[in-house]
Amino acid sequence: MNEVKLGRQNLLGTNVATQIAVVVRDIDKAIDAYSELLGVPKPNVIITDPDAGRDVYRGKSTRAQAKLAFFELGQVSLELIEPVGTDSVWYEVLAEKGEGVHHIAFNIQGTGEVTASLADHGMPVIQQGHYTGGMYTYVDSEAKLGVMLELLENFDAGE
């Protein structure tokens, strides 16, 4: 990875982006367009499990669900997101802004510490949940950064 030496005020503990995500209305149409543009095979569509558990959106329990597709582009993956239902930050962004960049993601360690530090800097958690082997957290960073951040923490098998 092309990580640059971290400064003393790095709030994430990393400066290597791992993902850029685009929210879309029609994931199949978007997959076709990106596959043609990039000259790569079409990725499979994954539908998130609303029963994966413990997802929270704006402080309330949610069964947030989305269709996802990932294009692996070296260090960074391109994630396409089509919301399923309305109770999620994915739908919120699509409804308010239309299709476009949803977030930039970073793999981190210590979600609790990182989110507390970001909240202290005016970037509170919007949505948080789990996936097999880890958890994701979206923080409200648009006012400060112009884009939402996603924090991804992958757990060891024992956690």
Side-chain angles (χ1 to χ4, degrees):
M1 302 235 180
N2 297 325
E3 191 161 356
V4 177
K5 184 177 179 188
L6 300 178
R8 61 179 172 74
Q9 290 292 330
N10 186 300
L11 301 177
L12 300 175
T14 184
N15 56 22
V16 178
T18 60
Q19 180 187 92
I20 297 174
V22 176
V23 66
V24 299
R25 287 187 176 83
D26 182 336
I27 200 163
D28 294 318
K29 183 178 174 184
I31 286 170
D32 288 345
Y34 277 100
S35 182
E36 181 180 359
L37 171 74
L38 300 170
V40 297
K42 295 177 186 179
N44 293 326
V45 174
I46 302 163
I47 300 176
T48 62
D49 181 2
D51 295 322
R54 307 179 309 272
D55 288 21
V56 176
Y57 167 62
R58 299 219 175 262
K60 296 181 181 178
S61 180
T62 182
R63 292 179 48 86
Q65 194 173 19
K67 295 178 184 178
L68 309 176
F70 296 89
F71 288 92
E72 298 304 326
L73 306 174
Q75 175 182 312
V76 176
S77 66
L78 171 65
E79 178 185 22
L80 302 179
I81 305 169
E82 178 187 332
V84 175
T86 60
D87 200 17
S88 71
V89 71
W90 309 302
Y91 177 81
E92 177 184 309
V93 170
L94 185 61
E96 291 179 6
K97 297 181 178 181
E99 294 181 306
V101 174
H102 183 267
H103 66 261
I104 299 172
F106 295 84
N107 284 338
I108 61 140
Q109 294 179 343
T111 296
E113 293 172 2
V114 173
T115 56
S117 179
L118 291 172
D120 287 345
H121 286 84
M123 295 178 272
V125 170
I126 298 174
Q127 182 170 315
Q128 192 169 57
H130 293 80
Y131 53 85
T132 302
M135 70 181 296
Y136 71 89
T137 304
Y138 292 110
V139 296
D140 189 359
S141 56
E142 289 195 55
K144 289 192 174 267
L145 304 175
V147 68
M148 188 180 317
L149 295 179
E150 180 183 34
L151 311 175
L152 299 168
E153 183 168 9
N154 295 312
F155 304 137
D156 293 331
E159 289 186 54

